[in-house]
Amino acid sequence: MAIVTGAASGIGRAAALRLARAGWAVAAVDVDAAGLDALAELAPGMSPFVCDVTDHAAVVAVVGDIGRELGPPRRLVHCAAVATMGRLLDAEPADALRLMDVLYGGTLHMVRAVVPAMAARGGGELVLLGSIGGWVPVPMGGAYGAAKAAVHFLAEIVAAEHRGDGIRVLCVCPPAVETPMLARIRLATPELLGPRRGLSPEQVLDSMDRALARGQAWAFPGRGTRALWTARRLAPRALSGLVGRIVVGK
């Protein structure tokens, strides 16, 4: 059984459908009840569960409900996300902290709720959605990038602390992906991405599947994404300047 969060749209929706069509029992989790109902009509083995991942008590309760109805999870694919872009110091602090609450806090709540059940059965797989924006500082993406960077650190720590429990952690770090969320970002901040197309959700999932098959800890979907990550580690100052000129012309 797999739990997929953010399942009502975007990468989460594509992941839930792929798993269900491959024969998995899927617990599709999202705050969007109507979106979940529409999703459940598309594939057998799909069970919708409405939950706000920022609410720790609600997450614990829904994971318990899922376990009773579908059995203990073997895989978590955590895609629940929100995003707003803009100059970091022009935004209200509460807005930046809201991103941290959803992206990092939501990840922490879900991982904390599912790992004990996985460990009790000898292990499981955690697939967490990071972002190349959490590795490479992108002007106008500071709040989002900071929250995703926290997700990356969480992935490494959970992998290290629970390796003995059989918990495998994969963090998938794509660039821009063509989802409803990206469409909203384009409308709000057209200068950030311009006409460049992002990856499809299927490309991200293909990278995820390859990394899982190879036992890798990181996946960097898309052409050049791993090179950006490598350049950030080896020449961070030069890369930051280049990204600033490419992305927003500064």
Side-chain angles (χ1 to χ4, degrees):
M1 189 273 288
I3 299 174
V4 180
T5 68
S9 68
I11 299 171
R13 182 179 185 275
L17 285 171
R18 178 175 291 203
L19 287 167
R21 288 167 177 167
W24 287 71
V26 177
V29 178
D30 203 291
V31 73
D32 178 2
L36 288 178
D37 288 341
L39 172 68
E41 296 177 359
L42 299 178
M46 189 86 69
S47 301
F49 293 86
V50 178
C51 180
D52 179 351
V53 297
T54 68
D55 183 335
H56 177 67
V59 168
V60 171
V62 82
V63 170
D65 291 342
I66 291 168
R68 284 185 290 273
E69 293 185 30
L70 302 177
R74 290 191 290 129
R75 180 182 294 178
L76 168 67
V77 183
H78 180 64
C79 304
V82 295
T84 55
M85 301 296 177
R87 287 166 55 93
L88 183 61
L89 299 186
D90 290 345
E92 291 295 326
D95 293 335
L97 292 173
R98 169 65 178 165
L99 291 185
M100 188 65 74
D101 192 26
V102 174
L103 299 175
Y104 173 71
T107 305
L108 178 62
H109 294 323
M110 286 301 306
V111 169
R112 191 172 185 272
V114 303
V115 163
M118 287 182 173
R121 293 201 53 183
E125 297 171 333
L126 305 178
V127 180
L128 310 180
L129 260 292
S131 170
I132 195 62
W135 291 106
V136 178
V138 176
M140 302 186 69
Y144 179 81
K148 285 297 189 179
V151 172
H152 302 164
F153 200 84
L154 181 150
E156 291 192 279
I157 291 297
V158 172
E161 292 181 346
H162 292 277
R163 191 171 291 113
D165 296 321
I167 305 298
R168 290 181 53 199
V169 183
L170 169 64
C171 192
V172 184
C173 301
V177 182
E178 292 297 331
T179 63
M181 187 171 75
L182 185 65
R184 292 190 292 271
I185 291 171
R186 280 200 172 99
L187 286 175
T189 52
E191 67 275 26
L192 182 59
L193 293 170
R196 291 187 298 277
R197 293 284 298 173
L199 300 182
S200 69
E202 288 71 24
Q203 287 174 293
V204 176
L205 297 179
D206 289 345
S207 178
M208 176 194 78
D209 286 342
R210 288 192 297 270
L212 284 171
R214 296 168 181 168
Q216 294 173 330
W218 301 96
F220 295 95
R223 185 176 180 181
T225 309
R226 181 175 288 275
L228 276 175
W229 174 71
T230 302
R232 170 61 178 164
R233 299 178 69 188
L234 299 178
R237 184 173 180 180
L239 180 65
S240 294
L242 176 62
V243 169
R245 290 192 297 274
I246 291 174
V247 175
V248 292
K250 295 183 179 179

